[in-house]
Amino acid sequence: MSGQQFIRVACVGAGYFSQFHYGSWRRIPQVQLVAACDRDLEKAAATGLPAYDDLPSMLARESPQLLDIILPPDGHADAIRAALDAGVGWILCQKPFCRSLAEAEAVLQDARDAGATVVVHENFRFQPWYRVMKDALTRGDIGTPLQATFRLRPGDGQGPRAYLDRQPYFQKMPRFLIHETAVHWVDTFRFLFGNPISVYADLRRINPVIAGEDAGYVIFEFENGLRAVFDGNRNLDHTSDNLRRTMGEALIEGTGGTLTMDGFGAVGLREFGSQSREQLLAPDKWEGFGGDCVHALQQHVISGLLNGTHLENTGPDYLDVIRIEQAIYRSDAEGRKIVLEAE
């Protein structure tokens, strides 16, 4: 498809987060955004695109080459199979991917059988601060990394109205902090450090109005001796002009120095023994979500489709995130470290 000028893209889902998807597609010159689908037809129509409330009808009439699935996990498998039945060759699907590992494996087998490509819309690894940190690690700027920490502090989880104004289904998720949120850093840690070899978790629920956990610690062990900690609490905040820009603060420490990422998206490097810090990335000025990471990911997918460039987070690769997530919940339930089996 390298000679094709425009890729026909359709979307299913028109909830809160979809605004970032639609906005990004409109900024990609090689994309023709053809339709939107949602069970609430008014929401689909509000996108300004031809609107549908039935996915198979939209797929049959609009013939997209790529379907962007912007739905909660309950809708993923059915939407993917509808796309496969309609002959759609490329599918981008929001995280957390499907409802279980078994469901994800089954639907990805269907995609393989159909010759379709599935990419999971795991966008945090595309945030500019993590790209800069990855480059610094690759260059060896901090020597051998020994410890890393991310402190999740979005400050949106207090009180009886927590999440209701933006994503109300959060309150009803039986598995919340890890399944919905921390998977971002499961994947980001994989991007930065590779797959972990074990996990240990201690999770809890603080706000009684929600069904799932909203705070906890997860320790990741890596083959090279690195330990990484995800320290999450949705009830607490951090210093930032926009708590959803980075959603917290990061620290990566090595034998030769330390990388820091603050709530403004700035990345700094301090050499071991030094009292000064070099700025590797200035504070972020993007007014939308997460350093425009949605756009970076969607451009990445279009490049893969048109030019055959390497794709990150294809469906089969993303299964590791689901396996790690399962091990985290098992560790919390059993109160012990879980060693991860290599796949």
Side-chain angles (χ1 to χ4, degrees):
M1 303 185 70
S2 59
Q4 189 162 342
Q5 186 174 3
F6 295 104
I7 300 299
R8 293 175 59 82
V9 174
C11 302
V12 55
Y16 163 77
F17 198 79
S18 68
Q19 62 184 301
F20 306 112
H21 289 242
Y22 290 102
S24 170
W25 290 128
R26 287 185 167 102
R27 287 187 283 140
I28 300 177
Q30 302 92 335
V31 165
Q32 180 184 5
L33 197 55
V34 297
C37 180
D38 195 273
R39 288 180 298 181
D40 185 334
L41 191 59
E42 289 186 3
K43 287 184 177 180
T47 66
L49 297 167
Y52 296 81
D53 59 7
D54 179 72
L55 178 58
S57 297
M58 180 185 75
L59 296 173
R61 183 167 296 182
E62 302 294 345
S63 301
Q65 294 155 284
L66 185 151
L67 178 66
D68 187 6
I69 299 172
I70 323 168
L71 300 173
D74 287 355
H76 290 176
D78 287 346
I80 291 172
R81 290 193 171 105
L84 298 176
D85 290 343
V88 178
W90 284 71
I91 299 165
L92 181 59
C93 184
Q94 256 293 347
K95 49 60 62 187
F97 186 58
C98 295
R99 292 171 294 187
S100 67
L101 178 61
E103 182 176 71
E105 289 175 330
V107 78
L108 288 174
Q109 183 60 57
D110 292 343
R112 279 191 291 270
D113 292 344
T117 298
V118 178
V119 179
V120 178
H121 199 295
E122 178 49 80
N123 49 59
F124 274 42
R125 64 162 60 200
F126 287 89
Q127 291 177 342
W129 33 92
Y130 294 125
R131 292 293 179 172
V132 167
M133 291 176 124
K134 178 65 173 181
D135 289 344
L137 292 170
T138 300
R139 290 193 303 265
D141 287 358
I142 64 168
T144 301
L146 296 179
Q147 295 191 190
T149 303
F150 180 81
R151 298 172 63 252
L152 175 81
R153 300 290 190 270
D156 59 355
Q158 295 186 16
R161 290 201 54 79
Y163 318 115
L164 292 183
D165 294 336
R166 191 175 64 244
Q167 288 156 301
Y169 65 93
F170 279 9
Q171 283 202 0
K172 299 180 180 180
M173 296 180 75
R175 292 184 170 185
F176 176 46
L177 178 71
I178 303 302
H179 181 61
E180 199 291 322
T181 307
V183 289
H184 285 305
W185 286 276
V186 170
D187 183 67
T188 299
F189 284 174
R190 291 175 65 241
F191 168 65
L192 293 172
F193 312 123
N195 273 349
I197 60 174
S198 76
V199 294
Y200 176 81
D202 180 7
L203 311 176
R204 59 179 172 150
R205 183 181 64 167
I206 293 175
N207 189 339
V209 305
I210 69 168
E213 80 286 355
D214 56 0
Y217 297 94
V218 183
I219 301 173
F220 300 81
E221 177 188 9
F222 295 86
E223 279 188 350
N224 59 4
L226 173 72
R227 300 293 190 275
V229 177
F230 171 82
D231 168 9
N233 193 319
R234 293 202 69 138
N235 299 269
L236 305 177
D237 70 355
H238 65 289
T239 303
S240 180
D241 60 331
N242 176 0
L243 293 175
R244 288 177 58 76
R245 173 174 282 112
T246 65
M247 297 184 74
E249 301 161 335
L251 181 73
I252 305 176
E253 301 170 276
T255 57
T258 298
L259 292 168
T260 58
M261 181 271 289
D262 65 21
F264 299 91
V267 176
L269 168 65
R270 183 185 65 82
E271 293 185 359
F272 188 84
S274 174
Q275 297 184 32
S276 61
R277 188 180 72 164
E278 175 188 358
Q279 187 176 80
L280 300 184
L281 182 67
D284 181 55
K285 299 299 183 183
W286 179 251
E287 294 183 359
F289 178 78
D292 210 11
C293 60
V294 171
H295 190 54
L297 170 54
Q298 292 178 188
Q299 285 182 306
H300 171 80
V301 172
I302 292 300
S303 177
L305 194 164
L306 288 174
N307 306 315
T309 51
H310 172 71
L311 288 168
E312 299 180 33
N313 277 347
T314 61
D317 178 60
Y318 197 78
L319 291 176
D320 281 341
V321 174
I322 303 176
R323 295 185 183 105
I324 295 165
E325 176 198 329
Q326 288 186 338
I328 290 170
Y329 281 114
R330 182 182 167 195
S331 172
D332 178 63
E334 298 179 7
R336 65 183 183 91
K337 180 170 75 173
I338 302 296
V339 176
L340 297 163
E341 298 181 3
E343 292 292 331

